[in-house]
Amino acid sequence: MNWLTNFVRPKLRALVARKEAPENLWLKCPKCEQMLFMRDWEANQEVCTHCGHHMRIRPMKRLPHLFDDGKFEIHPIPRVIADPLKFRHTKRYDAQLKEAQAKSEGATDALVVASGTMGGRAAVVALLDFGFMGGSMGTAVGEGLVMAAELAVARKAPLIVFSASGGARMQEGILSLMQLTRTTIAVRKVKQAGLPYIVVLTDPTTGGVSASFAMLGDIHLAEPDAIIGFAGQRVIQDTIRQELPEGFQRSEYLLEHGMVDAVVHRHKMRETLVRLIALLMESSAPPQAAVAAR
C-alpha cells in the first residue's frame, strides 16, 4: 500500500477542490440575465433586484404580502368532477391534474381564495395560479370564483382578483367555456351588492379569462410589463397582416390607451389596494354609515 498515493493525495485534493454550489441557490433574470441569489430574490417578492423585472409569483407566496400582519384564511374551492370528458392527449387529464396538485402547495386547482383584513377592512381575494396548468379556467376555477363572489357579498367585503391565465382549459371543452358566463354573473352580483370589484392583471392574462371576469373590474391595476390580451401577438399579426406597435399588449401600452387604470409595482400593491378599498367602501357606504365614519 502506497501511503502517499492512497491517503495523503486524496486528502489534499479534497482540501483544494472547488466545491460546487447547489443548483437552487442562484437564478438568472430572464430580462437582464443577471444572476440573483435565491434568498434575496424571494425576499424581494420575486422581483429582480437589478432591473425590477416582475417574475411570476404563485398565490401562496403573494398572499402574506397583501393582508394585515400576513394573516389570512384559505377557503377550499368546491369539489367538481375531476375529468368530466375523460379527456386524453399525450397524457390523461386526471393524471395531469394530480401532477399539478402535487406541485401546488395544497391547492386543488388553478384558483386560490383567501380572506382577511387589509387596512383594517375585510377583503376577499381570489388568485389565479399560472403555475397550475397555465392558470387555465375549468369548472373548478369557475366554482371557486362564484364562491369568492358569494363570500364577498355575505361579508360585505370587496372582491379582489389577481389574474394570471392562458385562457379556458381545453381538456374540459364546452364546460370550460361556460365558466365565462358563470364568472360574469358572479361579478355582477358583487356589483349589485354595491361592493368594489378590483382586478390586478399579472403576467400573463389572456384568452377566456381576459374575455370574462378579468376585464370587468371597477378598477384595473396591472403589474409592470405584464402581457395582457385575448389572442397572441403572432395570431393577431398573421390575421391583420400588419406589424404591431412596440410594447403591444404590455401593461404600459394598455395604460397609455385607457385599458388599465394604473401600473403598480409589486412592492406597492398592498398599500395601493388598501387605499382603494378605503376610498371605494367609504363612497359606497349608506349616508348614515358615512356620517358615523367621519
Side-chain angles (χ1 to χ4, degrees):
M1 175 179 178
N2 190 323
W3 181 74
L4 288 173
T5 303
N6 295 337
F7 183 76
V8 177
R9 186 179 292 175
K11 289 287 184 181
L12 291 173
R13 282 179 176 170
L15 286 172
V16 300
R18 183 179 177 182
K19 294 181 179 179
E20 293 184 5
E23 293 181 1
N24 61 348
L25 284 181
W26 295 90
L27 173 80
K28 182 187 281 188
C29 174
K31 188 169 185 180
C32 69
E33 299 188 345
Q34 291 288 328
M35 295 303 293
L36 306 170
F37 189 47
M38 287 286 287
R39 190 180 298 171
D40 294 339
W41 171 69
E42 289 177 351
N44 204 40
Q45 297 183 48
E46 302 191 13
V47 176
C48 177
T49 53
H50 297 282
C51 67
H53 176 62
H54 285 51
M55 297 183 217
R56 294 165 185 169
I57 183 170
R58 303 197 76 165
M60 296 309 296
K61 292 185 177 179
R62 188 191 290 274
L63 282 168
H65 300 286
L66 297 176
F67 291 102
D68 296 345
D69 302 321
K71 296 178 181 178
F72 54 88
E73 178 187 359
I74 294 292
H75 302 272
I77 61 177
R79 287 184 173 273
V80 297
I81 298 173
D83 187 4
L85 304 182
K86 306 299 179 186
F87 186 91
R88 182 168 186 167
H89 182 43
T90 55
K91 190 182 291 187
R92 287 177 46 166
Y93 176 42
D94 57 354
Q96 285 181 288
L97 279 174
K98 289 176 183 177
E99 189 177 307
Q101 288 166 355
K103 301 176 182 177
S104 66
E105 301 177 351
T108 57
D109 214 282
L111 188 77
V112 174
V113 179
S115 64
T117 58
M118 298 176 68
R121 294 176 183 266
V124 177
V125 180
L127 309 93
L128 279 166
D129 182 6
F130 192 77
F132 194 111
M133 299 184 70
S136 52
M137 179 171 63
T139 51
V141 170
E143 286 287 347
L145 198 77
V146 169
M147 180 193 74
E150 290 174 348
L151 187 64
V153 172
R155 298 190 177 186
K156 295 181 173 57
L159 176 60
I160 302 167
V161 169
F162 284 77
S163 62
S165 176
R169 189 170 294 174
M170 67 173 189
Q171 293 92 334
E172 295 188 21
I174 191 64
L175 297 176
S176 67
L177 295 179
M178 289 177 180
Q179 307 314 309
L180 277 72
T181 307
R182 297 188 70 231
T183 54
T184 300
I185 293 170
V187 168
R188 186 178 180 184
K189 288 182 178 179
V190 174
K191 295 186 175 185
Q192 285 176 336
L195 299 167
Y197 175 57
I198 302 170
V199 179
V200 181
L201 303 160
T202 73
D203 183 61
T205 298
T206 58
V209 168
S210 67
S212 55
F213 63 89
M215 288 297 176
L216 297 176
D218 298 313
I219 292 179
H220 289 101
L221 307 178
E223 289 192 332
D225 204 35
I227 294 175
I228 304 165
F230 179 65
Q233 288 192 35
R234 187 167 51 190
V235 173
I236 297 171
Q237 198 159 286
D238 290 346
T239 303
I240 66 175
R241 297 183 182 180
Q242 291 184 17
E243 196 72 26
L244 296 173
E246 187 177 350
F248 182 74
Q249 289 188 330
R250 296 284 177 175
S251 304
E252 293 76 12
Y253 183 90
L254 269 68
L255 175 64
E256 186 181 337
H257 290 78
M259 293 292 291
V260 167
D261 296 299
V263 176
V264 183
H265 194 284
R266 192 172 290 166
H267 294 170
K268 296 183 178 180
M269 189 61 72
R270 171 182 150 78
E271 64 181 78
T272 303
L273 290 171
V274 167
R275 189 164 62 248
L276 286 172
I277 290 170
L279 179 65
L280 294 172
M281 290 300 286
E282 178 82 12
S283 63
S284 63
Q288 293 178 349
V291 171
R294 293 193 187 98

